[in-house]
């Protein structure tokens, strides 16, 4: 698509929703609690703020405000208000109301575990919403690598319209056929990917799951080699089933 000559500001809103799942098996209640505590420490509000700050830098946005919170007993949230980098010279302020070229990045975490069968799941929801020329798609690779997740679901939508110098409305300002087009080849090689897209409505959905399965990657405080073969096979089947359920969004078991 040729570069648009716009009348005024680019009013298109580009929103990327990034939903990740990390699955783990923790046998005892103590192991479950230790896993939740570990995840809560690794992805606390400070660490999440660092990741989202890196996202802002990657997409070329200026940070206007940061709000973050760790929760009891677990979980964390961070919200960052951003603007196009060239638009402001003032430093980050304590309270800013966003309008026009101001957008946001948010993350919320949800550590949890199954009460009976030992499977624990860490979920993080991330939203990157921008206006103007900056695009959240530039941060995809960084987000995927930051969390190294078993299952990822991605939603991208372009909303609103902007006008060119002749007054014609434009409902999208860039070419896109699939979110996968914006993911690095080395990441695509590691994941099975499925698209559900509505190009006419500018709605794009991609879900991803790791193609390789190593039981040791899912055991907390245990090694697969120390388990009886029958138990290891059973655990592998149950964990793989959990991943399949999450990937397809329904219960198969």
């Amino acid at each position: 698509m040729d570069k648009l000559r716009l009348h005024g500001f680019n009013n298109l809103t580009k929103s990327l929703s990034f939903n990740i799942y990390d699955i783990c098996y923790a046998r005892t209640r103590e192991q479950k609690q230790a896993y939740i505590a570990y995840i809560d420490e690794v992805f606390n509000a400070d660490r999440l703020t660092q990741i989202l700050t890196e996202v802002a830098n990657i997409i070329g946005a200026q940070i206007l405000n940061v709000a973050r919170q760790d929760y009891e007993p677990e979980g964390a949230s961070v919200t960052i208000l951003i603007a196009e980098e060239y638009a402001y010279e003032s430093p980050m302020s304590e309270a800013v109301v966003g309008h026009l070229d101001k957008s946001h990045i948010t993350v919320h975490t949800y550590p949890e575990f199954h009460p009976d069968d030992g499977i624990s799941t860490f979920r993080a929801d991330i939203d990157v919403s921008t206006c103007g020329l900056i695009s959240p798609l530039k941060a995809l690779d960084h987000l995927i690598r930051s969390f190294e997740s078993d299952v990822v679901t991605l939603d991208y939508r372009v909303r609103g319209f902007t006008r060119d110098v002749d007054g014609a409305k434009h409902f999208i300002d860039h070419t896109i056929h699939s979110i996968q087009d914006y993911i690095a080849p080395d990441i695509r090689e590691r994941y099975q990917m499925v698209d559900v897209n509505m190009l006419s409505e500018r709605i794009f959905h991609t879900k991803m799951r790791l193609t390789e399965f190593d039981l040791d990657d899912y055991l907390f405080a245990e090694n697969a080699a120390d388990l009886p073969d029958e138990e290891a096979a059973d655990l592998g089947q149950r964990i793989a089933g959990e991943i399949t359920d999450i990937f397809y969004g329904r219960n198969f078991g």
Side-chain angles (χ1 to χ4, degrees):
M1 181 182 293
D2 295 333
K3 185 175 180 180
L4 295 174
R5 296 179 61 228
L6 300 180
H7 170 73
F9 179 72
N10 187 335
N11 289 312
L12 289 168
T13 299
K14 303 155 191 172
S15 298
L16 174 68
S17 294
F18 182 94
N19 192 230
I20 68 99
Y21 297 88
D22 182 81
I23 291 87
C24 178
Y25 178 79
R27 183 187 304 275
T28 66
R29 181 172 182 82
E30 290 74 19
Q31 287 179 355
K32 295 173 187 176
Q33 292 173 337
Y35 170 75
I36 296 296
Y38 164 76
I39 286 292
D40 215 34
E41 177 62 27
V42 171
F43 294 109
N44 59 29
D46 287 341
R47 171 62 177 144
L48 294 172
T49 299
Q50 177 187 343
I51 293 173
L52 297 196
T53 299
E54 291 165 351
V55 168
N57 291 333
I58 289 169
I59 66 176
Q62 178 185 359
I63 295 176
L64 302 177
N65 177 262
V66 179
R68 57 190 173 188
Q69 180 66 52
D70 288 304
Y71 299 109
E72 292 293 341
E74 65 266 331
S77 295
V78 178
T79 298
I80 298 181
L81 188 66
I82 59 174
E84 288 196 43
E85 192 169 27
Y86 66 79
Y88 293 88
E89 296 179 357
S90 60
M92 180 168 47
S93 60
E94 300 246 342
V96 182
V97 176
H99 182 60
L100 288 181
D101 62 347
K102 301 180 186 68
S103 304
H104 65 271
I105 311 172
T106 66
V107 60
H108 306 283
T109 67
Y110 305 89
E112 65 87 43
F113 59 83
H114 191 291
D116 299 320
D117 73 357
I119 293 180
S120 302
T121 303
F122 167 69
R123 181 176 120 237
D125 292 346
I126 302 170
D127 290 290
V128 185
S129 185
T130 68
C131 294
L133 300 177
I134 58 178
S135 171
L137 293 170
K138 294 181 180 179
L140 259 181
D141 292 343
H142 178 70
L143 287 170
I144 294 171
R145 291 189 172 112
S146 294
F147 290 92
E148 288 292 330
S149 305
D150 301 304
V151 178
V152 182
T153 60
L154 302 163
D155 292 284
Y156 178 67
R157 182 175 183 183
V158 181
R159 295 173 293 168
F161 66 87
T162 191
R163 291 187 187 273
D164 64 23
V165 291
D166 297 319
K169 293 184 288 293
H170 293 265
F171 296 91
I172 194 166
D173 62 354
H174 60 292
T175 300
I176 178 173
H177 298 97
S178 168
I179 296 173
Q180 295 187 42
D181 298 338
Y182 293 84
I183 299 175
D186 66 296
I187 295 176
R188 294 202 305 267
E189 289 175 359
R190 296 173 51 222
Y191 285 87
Q192 171 194 352
M193 298 189 183
V194 175
D195 279 356
V196 181
N197 299 324
M198 297 175 62
L199 275 67
S200 63
E201 301 300 321
R202 300 163 299 284
I203 297 173
F204 305 87
H205 174 78
T206 297
K207 50 189 178 183
M208 311 163 50
R209 64 183 290 179
L210 285 173
T211 54
E212 293 188 4
F213 182 89
D214 185 340
L215 183 57
D216 275 321
D217 292 337
Y218 298 90
L219 300 182
F220 188 77
E222 290 187 276
N223 296 311
D226 297 329
L227 302 175
D229 291 344
E230 185 176 347
E231 182 179 1
D234 176 67
L235 278 179
Q237 185 175 15
R238 286 163 55 193
I239 294 169
E242 181 83 356
I243 294 171
T244 298
D245 288 351
I246 294 171
F247 180 71
Y248 288 105
R250 61 179 70 95
N251 291 308
F252 289 95

